[in-house]
Amino acid sequence: MQIKSADYILTAVRPDQYPVHDRPEIALVGRSNVGKSSIINGLVNRKNLARVAATPGKTREINFYKVNNTLYLVDLPGYGYAKVSKTAKESWAEMIETYLNTRPHLRLTLMLVDIRHNPTADDQTMYQWLAGQDKPRLLVASKLDKIPVSQVGQRLQEIRAVLGMDSAESLIPFSAVTKQGRNEIWAQIESYLG
Ligand code: GDP
């Protein structure tokens, strides 16, 4: 995908605040601090379009970004941040679920997991929910540059095993630093736009 424009559109917490348009949307989910803002910036070749949070757990709303007037990237609240109340966690879970369940524009959900660690219980819950709802999804292992190349294969296999991924399903390693994986992710996204 050649990026001609990328703009922040708005921040929402409820469906009546979502932008009105007729383009496809690609959602991003993952633990707080997994690198969602960084992958958005990486995908659209911008340093600061999506705020890269200095403190984890800061992104508590749904942020909409428009790319090339052809699609929207939708950054959903990061889950699994320990230092918030149960009520706050429930309200984020509801925000994520409401968007994923009700948004007709949604074509694909990018789910990020940190390549260095095995998926957490929250990651497993998120993945099982997506798989159980038969939602189109693309798994991305973030922070690829943080591990030695020699460990990549084994880390990907372990992540697959913990999530119970089908061998036919993609798990694309990505680095926001080197941009490795970027073209493959765009190719996959484009295959869902149709
Ligand atoms: P978010 O909370 O999921 O939006 O995560 P951010 O994009 O804000 O990233 C959290 C932290 O991880 C920041 O300090 C980023 O610079 C760092 N980070 C994210 N992706 C990568 C990556 O691919 N490589 C490296 N080395 N650091 C990354």
Side-chain angles (χ1 to χ4, degrees):
M1 169 89 62
Q2 201 192 336
I3 306 300
K4 298 185 198 105
S5 66
D7 299 291
Y8 163 78
I9 301 300
L10 59 77
T11 297
V13 295
R14 297 187 313 270
D16 63 306
Q17 300 168 330
Y18 298 167
V20 177
H21 65 80
D22 60 2
R23 302 286 185 253
E25 291 183 351
I26 310 297
L28 290 103
V29 295
R31 276 174 61 88
S32 179
N33 217 32
V34 73
K36 285 191 293 108
S37 304
S38 302
I39 198 174
I40 291 171
N41 291 334
L43 286 173
V44 302
N45 300 327
R46 289 283 199 82
K47 279 208 167 70
N48 290 313
L49 180 65
R51 183 170 41 101
V52 177
T55 44
K58 261 169 69 180
T59 320
R60 296 170 186 194
E61 298 102 9
I62 305 179
N63 292 303
F64 291 79
Y65 303 93
K66 182 160 75 168
V67 183
N68 283 358
N69 209 17
T70 44
L71 67 103
Y72 283 67
L73 295 176
V74 181
D75 190 13
L76 297 173
Y79 53 76
Y81 184 56
K83 290 182 192 163
V84 297
S85 68
K86 192 157 170 269
T87 321
K89 279 184 191 165
E90 282 165 3
S91 101
W92 297 351
E94 194 189 313
M95 226 186 283
I96 295 169
E97 203 172 322
T98 299
Y99 171 85
L100 293 175
N101 262 336
T102 65
R103 187 67 164 160
H105 309 62
L106 178 64
R107 295 285 185 284
L108 174 70
T109 300
L110 253 60
M111 176 174 164
L112 272 65
V113 293
D114 189 322
I115 199 165
R116 296 172 296 174
H117 311 299
N118 281 345
T120 63
D122 287 323
D123 289 326
Q124 293 174 52
T125 303
M126 185 74 239
Y127 180 77
Q128 280 161 16
W129 188 86
L130 289 170
Q133 305 272 318
D134 221 10
K135 295 276 182 203
R137 57 196 178 271
L138 175 62
L139 275 283
V140 172
S142 67
K143 310 195 183 183
L144 173 60
D145 59 284
K146 291 208 179 217
I147 61 169
V149 175
S150 61
Q151 285 179 17
V152 172
Q154 191 185 350
R155 290 300 318 134
L156 294 177
Q157 273 198 348
E158 284 181 23
I159 291 167
R160 284 179 169 283
V162 173
L163 292 177
M165 287 175 69
D166 191 288
S167 58
E169 198 180 332
S170 301
L171 171 61
I172 303 179
F174 173 77
S175 165
V177 174
T178 66
K179 306 289 166 12
Q180 195 179 331
R182 179 183 180 274
N183 292 345
E184 201 181 341
I185 292 167
W186 267 125
Q188 290 263 2
I189 291 174
E190 284 175 277
S191 76
Y192 284 90
L193 296 181

